[in-house]
Amino acid sequence: MVIRKKVLLLGLLASLLADLGIKSEEEKEQTCRLLGKFDLNGYVDAKNHSLVIGGLFPIHSRTIPANESILETVSAKCEGFNFRGFRWMKTMMHTIKEINERKDILPNITLGYQIFDTCFSISKSVEAALVFLTGQEENKPNFRNSTGAYLAGIIGAGGSSLSIAASRILGLYYLPQVGYASTCSILSDKYQFPSYLRTIPSDKSQSSAMVKLIQHFGWVWIGTIAADDDYGKYGVKNLKEEMEAVNLCIAFSEIIPKVYSNEKMQQAINAIKYSTARVIVLYASDIDLSPFVLEIVYHNITDRTWIATEAWITSALIAKPKYFPYFGGTIGFAIPRADIPGLKEFLYDVHPSKDPNDVLTIEFWQTAFNCTWPNSSVPYNIDHRVNMTGKEDRLYAMSDKFCTGEEKLEDLKNTYLDVSQLRITNNVKQAVYSMAYALDHLSRCEEGYGPYVPGNTCAYIPDFEPWQLMFYLKTLKFTTHNGKRIEIDENGDVFGYYDILNWQLNDNGEIAFVEVGEYIFTKSKFELVIKENAIIFWNTESSKLPHSVCIDLCPPGTRKGIRQGEPICCFDCIPCADGYVSRDPGQRKCDQCEEDYWSNTQKSECMLKEVEFLAYEEALGFTLVILSIFGALVVLAVTIVYVIYRHTPLVNANDRGLSFLIQVSLVITLLSSMLFIGKPYNWSCKTHQITLALGFSLCLSCILGKTISLFLAYRISKSKTQFISIHPLYRKIIVLSSVVIQIGVCTAYLILEPPRVYKNMESQNIKIILECHEGSIEFLCSMFGIDVFLALLCFLTTFVARQLPDNYYEGKCITFGMLGFFIVWISFVPPYLSTKGKFKVAVEIFAILASSYGLLGCIFAPKCFIILLRPKRNTDDIVGGRVPTADKSIQLTSASMSS
């Protein structure tokens, strides 16, 4: 009881002392503690080193999902040992060891390292970044202690999202960070990431290369699958921009969830299944891709060609023979391969017995040899991922077999010891060397010649500021161990080239990464080279080049028609209009044919238009020529008859000279019709209308001379007055006046606005109607108006004088001739105006021939009939005759008129 009271008293005293601020010795030793405890694994070597370089590597592939029942903030643990990340980490250690052994770089200065496992998660990357900056850790085991040495910079992290997360923190203090595997284009933005640089090209270069590859193989309809992180999202964004610039289309764009979601995964799988796209771009890391690959296998999706990024094209995690039926023929871009001397031996120098506290090496050994290391608490084969059925797998199985330590690394076949495809591994080496070269340049600075203003000062190891080292990193140029030139630009990016690899099976049944080309990108050169003969396998039913389009290219003769609300690669094929063609498949618009050309039936070529004119060779033209020549020969025959019988009364009746002129004019009009036939030329266009107008003018003026004489004779006979003979000269003057007037009008027509050849393309699209454009319609109407006026005078005078008593009825014959002349030309007008082309010319020639034949028949046929067949009627008594009037002394006949 007394003891109990003493205990209570001591308790009250302690409380009182606490209230008064008096602390015990134990409480005095306690300092400020972190609320959360970081659970970081890694390696450190900082003793006796001038500088330390930090490293971030994905030695594990994921973190264990947090227990939601625990409300306290707890640093996640990692699982899923990543042999590839472990090799990258060992490469950094090997490179630092190599630099320390060299005498030409950082003499008298040695480098140490502090490396953390990011577990391929943003949370672990952020934890590591905070530890690098603060040095505050709750527990301090040997493999992750606060080094105390000066931190020069960071190498990593192994993934774009991880680098972005770490750089947002490290960049606040301008702490240099050199990436070796992060390609996201946003990291080139120096406003957001001022201290980030990398030895791997940006995704912007890779996206350009992908588009050129897609164009090379003629694919236009592409699907995209991206990881749900910055790498995937920005990668697909850049790819879309590049594709849209060259009119390529995205068929679908789906996301692989970082945390398994059956709904989202099935959405991506269904997009691949039901899309017509046969080529798919995969923007994801090999770790993120693993569950997706299992889904592809589960749904048995084949007949797809995958375009790989540098993140998984050479990943042994994906490139397994069992996946070849689904991913065989994959083509993609890889960082250039290199050999690293001494690395293989360094990788083999690993064993758990060297350090019992080295949990990463123990886990490596257990995972590699499928055994349990004795007396070790390192978990074995843990997997908390959700499987494809949506149920969580929790495997804590410990292997029944214990590790003996005698296992041989030579017997392993895993990514860690595979040094045949050192690509990103080589980038790790270059990243470490870039940091070392920048430090070397900084250490060699001479005071007064330094880069910092004012005063051209220098920085000194080990108390330089981070921004001072960044100056050298941003202007860094060096040559690697294999002779490659590294040059970092103002955005922290590098140029170079990609190897283009194709997945093929070798003779051993293993997947071989066959180099089938390269993409070279420098400041001035962007070139894609493909060795198509090296691609011997495509993952298609025919094993031939895949065909990936929304709609096949429109054939020649059609054009693309836009489908509203759909990508430009989905279109309708619309036939070209008449006169337009598309010669090449897939034309967006049809090209109009040139003036003298027209589209063929298929609308694929422009054909020279058929030139239409009334040719001598065709039946119609030949017939008209025959009729024209025949008519001229008939007129010539009449002229011969007239010449032979020129002294007979019938020939002399009513002015023999005018009769000869009429015959000459008829020859002119008949032969002028031949000028209308044949291919029109400027000279023929000017000639044929002028010749026709002058010919008819001469003919009608001569007939007018005859008809005026008959008209006067008839008027005298009716008035019974004394007849005064009209002198023949007056008749010639009438003819001459008419012809001179016509010549004047024709001359003005030829000088002022002459006819010319005209290609008539309006009447028929498929033909060029070659015709004569008459020039001035006014002049043309004036010319033929004179002929119409003469014809009208001739008709009126002969119609009045038709009743002149005579044994030869010349007045009546001329009346019928002029009546036929008018009938022909009046009936000519409607068909002339309604026809086109050569038939229009034929109608005009028919009118010329018909009117000429009509005049020839009506005026000369009766006389020739009497002269040749009724010569007894060709006498003065019969031809002259007498007029039965009261005044017998007046003889008014055709014959008397010519005396």
Side-chain angles (χ1 to χ4, degrees):
M1 189 72 177
V2 176
I3 297 173
R4 187 174 180 183
K5 289 182 179 179
K6 287 182 178 180
V7 171
L8 290 173
L9 183 60
L10 289 172
L12 292 172
L13 181 61
S15 300
L16 181 61
L17 291 173
D19 291 338
L20 294 174
I22 302 173
K23 298 182 179 180
S24 64
E25 292 296 325
E26 184 180 354
E27 288 175 329
K28 287 182 180 179
E29 292 179 359
Q30 292 184 356
T31 58
C32 179
R33 298 169 60 88
L34 297 173
L35 271 180
K37 296 181 179 182
F38 295 158
D39 193 332
L40 295 172
N41 292 323
Y43 291 91
V44 63
D45 179 17
K47 291 181 180 180
N48 303 320
H49 294 299
S50 308
L51 297 171
V52 167
I53 298 177
L56 296 173
F57 295 92
I59 302 173
H60 288 86
S61 59
R62 59 190 175 273
T63 56
I64 299 174
N67 189 343
E68 296 179 359
S69 63
I70 300 176
L71 300 178
E72 184 181 348
T73 303
V74 178
S75 180
K77 294 185 178 295
C78 303
E79 64 181 3
F81 196 84
N82 182 13
F83 291 105
R84 197 182 188 196
F86 194 60
R87 185 183 67 206
W88 295 346
M89 182 269 300
K90 286 287 187 179
T91 303
M92 177 176 172
M93 296 167 63
H94 172 261
T95 305
I96 290 178
K97 178 175 177 289
E98 180 182 290
I99 293 171
N100 287 336
E101 292 173 354
R102 293 179 62 167
K103 302 301 181 183
D104 57 332
I105 302 177
L106 295 173
N108 304 320
I109 297 173
T110 59
L111 300 177
Y113 54 79
Q114 185 178 22
I115 299 172
F116 289 123
D117 177 15
T118 64
C119 302
F120 203 71
S121 67
I122 292 176
S123 61
K124 287 295 179 184
S125 300
V126 171
E127 289 178 8
L130 291 173
V131 172
F132 280 135
L133 291 173
T134 64
Q136 295 188 44
E137 303 176 66
E138 190 61 20
N139 299 311
K140 301 179 181 178
N142 291 331
F143 55 84
R144 57 177 184 86
N145 65 346
S146 296
T147 65
Y150 192 87
L151 183 66
I154 310 297
I155 305 298
S160 293
S161 295
L162 313 185
S163 292
I164 289 172
S167 186
R168 290 196 185 279
I169 298 173
L170 300 174
L172 296 175
Y173 300 91
Y174 218 59
L175 187 66
Q177 181 182 358
V178 183
Y180 54 87
S182 303
T183 60
C184 186
S185 59
I186 196 175
L187 287 167
S188 300
D189 185 352
K190 294 303 105 180
Y191 289 101
Q192 297 189 60
F193 310 99
S195 62
Y196 186 85
L197 307 99
R198 50 187 160 189
T199 57
I200 189 170
S202 165
D203 275 336
K204 202 160 187 66
S205 300
Q206 185 169 212
S207 297
S208 299
M210 279 187 180
V211 170
K212 288 186 180 295
L213 179 74
I214 291 168
Q215 285 182 301
H216 175 83
F217 289 112
W219 303 322
V220 296
W221 191 232
I222 309 298
T224 63
I225 301 290
D228 191 12
D229 57 15
D230 293 315
Y231 174 70
K233 291 177 180 177
Y234 279 102
V236 169
K237 175 180 177 290
N238 291 331
L239 180 65
K240 285 182 178 179
E241 292 173 353
E242 295 283 347
M243 289 180 64
E244 288 173 359
V246 292
N247 296 325
L248 301 178
C249 300
I250 299 292
F252 61 86
S253 187
E254 297 296 336
I255 295 295
I256 299 174
K258 297 287 282 187
V259 178
Y260 187 89
S261 166
N262 187 59
E263 181 183 352
K264 292 182 179 179
M265 192 66 81
Q266 292 308 313
Q267 183 177 335
I269 293 297
N270 290 335
I272 296 170
K273 269 187 178 181
Y274 302 116
S275 174
T276 56
R278 288 296 178 265
V279 178
I280 304 168
V281 175
L282 268 176
Y283 250 108
S285 67
D286 55 348
I287 296 173
D288 288 330
L289 208 54
S290 297
F292 175 78
V293 171
L294 295 176
E295 293 282 355
I296 293 292
V297 174
Y298 179 78
H299 289 87
N300 193 29
I301 297 176
T302 58
D303 192 23
R304 301 294 188 278
T305 296
W306 306 90
I307 298 180
T309 63
E310 91 298 332
W312 67 275
I313 183 65
T314 58
S315 172
L317 192 62
I318 308 299
K320 297 178 180 179
K322 63 181 180 180
Y323 298 148
F324 190 81
Y326 313 94
F327 288 87
T330 292
I331 190 168
F333 300 88
I335 305 303
R337 194 188 71 83
D339 294 320
I340 301 178
L343 178 62
K344 185 174 183 180
E345 293 76 13
F346 187 82
L347 294 177
Y348 273 91
D349 186 20
V350 58
H351 201 280
S353 62
K354 290 186 176 182
D355 185 355
N357 294 322
D358 188 353
V359 296
L360 293 178
T361 301
I362 293 174
E363 188 175 357
F364 161 76
W365 201 269
Q366 290 183 160
T367 308
F369 294 106
N370 192 23
C371 62
T372 302
W373 189 258
N375 303 320
S376 172
S377 60
V378 178
Y380 170 84
N381 195 21
I382 299 178
D383 192 346
H384 292 80
R385 287 179 298 177
V386 179
N387 63 16
M388 288 180 292
T389 64
K391 297 179 181 179
E392 187 178 7
D393 290 334
R394 293 184 179 271
L395 302 177
Y396 293 90
M398 300 293 289
S399 175
D400 295 334
K401 183 179 70 173
F402 282 97
C403 303
T404 64
E406 301 297 326
E407 292 85 4
K408 294 182 180 180
L409 292 172
E410 292 82 358
D411 297 335
L412 288 179
K413 290 184 178 179
N414 63 20
T415 312
Y416 173 71
L417 295 173
D418 183 9
V419 294
S420 63
Q421 297 291 330
L422 299 182
R423 299 177 185 274
I424 294 180
T425 304
N426 184 53
N427 276 359
V428 174
K429 182 182 179 72
Q430 293 175 1
V432 177
Y433 261 101
S434 63
M435 191 73 73
Y437 275 114
L439 289 168
D440 183 62
H441 293 162
L442 182 145
S443 67
R444 297 177 187 274
C445 177
E446 295 182 14
E447 195 63 36
Y449 298 94
Y452 313 119
V453 291
N456 297 109
T457 58
C458 294
Y460 300 99
I461 294 176
D463 57 350
F464 59 88
E465 294 293 333
W467 64 266
Q468 293 174 318
L469 180 60
M470 276 299 300
F471 173 84
Y472 291 98
L473 279 169
K474 289 193 294 185
T475 58
L476 186 63
K477 298 178 184 179
F478 67 95
T479 303
T480 64
H481 68 281
N482 58 344
K484 299 297 181 181
R485 187 69 176 167
I486 299 295
E487 181 176 345
I488 298 177
D489 66 11
E490 64 276 5
N491 294 322
D493 294 326
V494 293
F495 292 98
Y497 68 94
Y498 288 109
D499 288 334
I500 301 175
L501 304 183
N502 180 231
W503 285 16
Q504 301 177 14
L505 278 182
N506 58 21
D507 297 335
N508 298 325
E510 299 292 331
I511 292 181
F513 306 120
V514 180
E515 187 176 330
V516 296
E518 65 178 4
Y519 178 72
I520 304 168
F521 55 100
T522 63
K523 289 183 178 180
S524 59
K525 182 180 181 182
F526 299 89
E527 181 182 6
L528 178 73
V529 179
I530 298 291
K531 298 178 285 189
E532 294 194 23
N533 294 334
I535 304 176
I536 60 176
F537 176 79
W538 292 104
N539 195 4
T540 59
E541 293 180 359
S542 61
S543 296
K544 294 182 180 178
L545 180 71
H547 187 60
S548 187
V549 296
C550 179
I551 299 292
D552 284 322
L553 285 178
C554 292
T558 60
R559 64 174 178 85
K560 290 182 180 180
I562 297 173
R563 288 184 180 178
Q564 293 295 332
E566 294 191 31
I568 60 172
C569 299
C570 301
F571 46 81
D572 295 313
C573 295
I574 302 173
C576 294
D578 291 336
Y580 290 79
V581 298
S582 62
R583 298 177 178 85
D584 302 320
Q587 283 193 210
R588 299 195 65 177
K589 65 176 183 177
C590 299
D591 302 319
Q592 187 174 6
C593 293
E594 294 181 6
E595 187 179 35
D596 293 347
Y597 292 82
W598 193 251
S599 55
N600 59 3
T601 307
Q602 295 78 21
K603 308 293 176 62
S604 59
E605 290 292 338
C606 288
M607 309 296 291
L608 192 63
K609 287 183 180 180
E610 178 186 349
V611 179
E612 182 181 278
F613 56 87
L614 187 59
Y616 290 104
E617 296 80 12
E618 55 184 302
L620 181 59
F622 182 75
T623 302
L624 294 175
V625 169
I626 295 299
L627 291 176
S628 178
I629 294 174
F630 177 75
L633 293 175
V634 171
V635 175
L636 184 60
V638 171
T639 303
I640 292 172
V641 170
Y642 265 55
V643 171
I644 294 174
Y645 297 96
R646 61 185 178 278
H647 299 299
T648 61
L650 199 57
V651 173
N652 288 325
N654 204 8
D655 203 323
R656 179 180 62 190
L658 292 181
S659 297
F660 281 113
L661 285 176
I662 292 173
Q663 292 165 16
V664 171
S665 64
L666 288 176
V667 171
I668 292 172
T669 55
L670 286 166
L671 294 180
S672 69
S673 64
M674 295 177 63
L675 296 173
F676 289 81
I677 305 172
K679 185 177 181 179
Y681 295 97
N682 284 332
W683 67 267
S684 62
C685 290
K686 294 177 182 178
T687 305
H688 67 246
Q689 295 289 17
I690 300 298
T691 305
L692 179 63
L694 290 174
F696 274 124
S697 180
L698 177 61
C699 178
L700 294 172
S701 60
C702 292
I703 294 173
L704 180 61
K706 283 178 171 285
T707 58
I708 286 177
S709 297
L710 295 175
F711 176 75
L712 291 176
Y714 177 75
R715 297 300 297 173
I716 291 171
S717 67
K718 288 294 184 180
S719 62
K720 299 180 181 181
T721 58
Q722 180 65 39
F723 173 70
I724 300 174
S725 175
I726 297 177
H727 197 280
L729 179 62
Y730 295 151
R731 301 190 190 109
K732 306 296 188 295
I733 291 172
I734 291 173
V735 172
L736 182 62
S737 300
S738 301
V739 173
V740 167
I741 292 171
Q742 187 69 284
I743 290 173
V745 174
C746 292
T747 303
Y749 179 34
L750 292 176
I751 292 173
L752 297 178
E753 200 168 351
R756 64 185 185 278
V757 177
Y758 170 63
K759 294 180 180 179
N760 185 351
M761 301 181 187
E762 292 80 19
S763 300
Q764 296 188 49
N765 290 328
I766 61 174
K767 291 181 180 180
I768 298 175
I769 300 175
L770 210 57
E771 59 187 17
C772 291
H773 188 275
E774 304 303 344
S776 173
I777 299 299
E778 292 78 6
F779 276 113
L780 190 67
C781 292
S782 299
M783 285 194 314
F784 287 101
I786 292 172
D787 292 338
V788 171
F789 178 70
L790 292 174
L792 186 61
L793 288 178
C794 292
F795 177 74
L796 292 175
T797 53
T798 54
F799 182 78
V800 173
R802 71 187 185 282
Q803 296 178 351
L804 183 67
D806 199 346
N807 289 329
Y808 170 65
Y809 305 104
E810 186 177 27
K812 292 181 179 179
C813 292
I814 293 175
T815 301
F816 280 113
M818 296 313 300
L819 187 60
F821 182 88
F822 277 112
I823 291 173
V824 167
W825 285 101
I826 290 172
S827 61
F828 152 78
V829 173
Y832 181 80
L833 295 176
S834 61
T835 54
K836 302 292 181 183
K838 61 183 179 182
F839 298 105
K840 185 175 183 178
V841 177
V843 167
E844 188 171 3
I845 295 174
F846 273 119
I848 295 169
L849 294 178
S851 57
S852 299
Y853 272 106
L855 292 175
L856 176 64
C858 291
I859 297 175
F860 295 105
K863 285 189 177 183
C864 290
F865 177 80
I866 294 172
I867 292 171
L868 297 176
L869 301 179
R870 299 289 187 271
K872 293 181 179 180
R873 297 180 58 183
N874 191 9
T875 61
D876 290 334
D877 293 336
I878 296 176
V879 172
R882 290 191 175 274
V883 182
T885 61
D887 191 353
K888 302 294 184 179
S889 64
I890 301 177
Q891 291 185 346
L892 295 173
T893 64
S894 300
S896 64
M897 291 300 294
S898 61
S899 61

